[in-house]
Amino acid sequence: MSRIGKKPVDIKGLKVSLTENKVKIKGKLGELEKVLHPNNSYKVVDDELIVTRPNESKESKSLHGLSRALIDNMVIGVTEGFTKTLDIVGVGYKAELKGKSILLNLGYSHPIYFMPPEEITLECATPTQIKITGIDKELVGLVAAKIRSFRKPEPYKGKGIKYSNEVIVKKAGKTAGK
């Protein structure tokens, strides 16, 4: 069995409803719903959700672990939530919250306005830091990647938008001629 797939998902204190291959989980932060692969079967037993696979094929094994991990991410999302932090590096580069949207000045001739989806909350603790929060891990990562794509860090000075835990390996510039 898959090491990840065989672990039960603890759903104590959550409201879970299962229909064929759709899982709906409701917690203190909100409600998430996801359609999972129909080959796997899903059961709730004593405050635990168990995912089982039909056979031992390679595809079934990989989908078994994936389905369990997706459900676990949903449980973590509705209980604790997910957060990604972006750092803005560069002279004159800054972010500013305008209502629900964010205004980014990234060295272009124009400012960039970004409106996040309804489920996502943006914060600007400082003008050079953006905090993205939500209950859907996939959506939080997607919004962070979209904001980062406006000005990816360049390898010579490290200017741009980077994840807070990302390390930029800097290249050496051209050296003077002979």
Side-chain angles (χ1 to χ4, degrees):
M1 290 213 38
S2 163
R3 279 186 269 170
I4 293 173
K6 69 181 176 184
K7 290 182 187 174
V9 179
D10 185 29
I11 54 171
K12 190 176 285 186
L14 300 175
K15 186 178 177 188
V16 177
S17 62
L18 299 168
T19 56
E20 292 181 28
N21 59 338
K22 187 186 282 187
V23 177
K24 187 186 271 188
I25 299 176
K26 189 172 186 177
K28 64 181 180 181
L29 295 180
E31 183 176 337
L32 287 174
E33 184 177 327
K34 194 169 241 21
V35 176
L36 299 169
H37 202 273
N39 282 356
N40 294 325
S41 59
Y42 311 95
K43 291 184 282 201
V44 176
V45 179
D46 300 332
D47 289 338
E48 290 182 336
L49 194 139
I50 298 168
V51 181
T52 54
R53 64 177 179 244
N55 55 38
E56 296 296 314
S57 71
K58 187 172 182 175
E59 183 185 13
S60 290
K61 287 180 181 181
S62 60
L63 289 171
H64 184 218
L66 171 71
S67 298
R68 191 262 179 213
L70 290 173
I71 293 170
D72 192 44
N73 285 338
M74 289 170 64
V75 168
I76 293 169
V78 297
T79 55
E80 301 167 21
F82 291 101
T83 302
K84 286 226 182 230
T85 307
L86 297 173
D87 293 334
I88 301 173
V89 180
V91 177
Y93 291 10
K94 63 182 179 177
E96 184 182 342
L97 215 52
K98 295 277 189 184
K100 189 139 168 60
S101 66
I102 193 164
L103 169 68
L104 299 162
N105 290 314
L106 301 172
Y108 295 119
S109 62
H110 60 284
I112 298 170
Y113 289 94
F114 179 73
M115 184 69 177
E118 292 292 320
E119 304 86 21
I120 298 296
T121 308
L122 295 177
E123 287 178 40
C124 283
T126 65
T128 60
Q129 194 172 54
I130 303 168
K131 194 173 184 183
I132 302 156
T133 310
I135 61 172
D136 188 355
K137 186 175 187 177
E138 184 179 355
L139 194 58
V140 168
L142 190 68
V143 169
K146 180 67 177 171
I147 292 173
R148 182 180 183 272
S149 74
F150 294 138
R151 176 73 86 171
K152 289 186 180 173
E154 53 98 7
Y156 297 103
K157 291 184 180 176
K159 293 167 44 173
I161 301 176
K162 68 178 194 79
Y163 297 110
S164 61
N165 59 354
E166 183 180 10
V167 177
I168 306 298
V169 179
K170 294 183 181 172
K171 289 182 177 180
K174 278 187 171 181
T175 55
K178 297 179 185 178

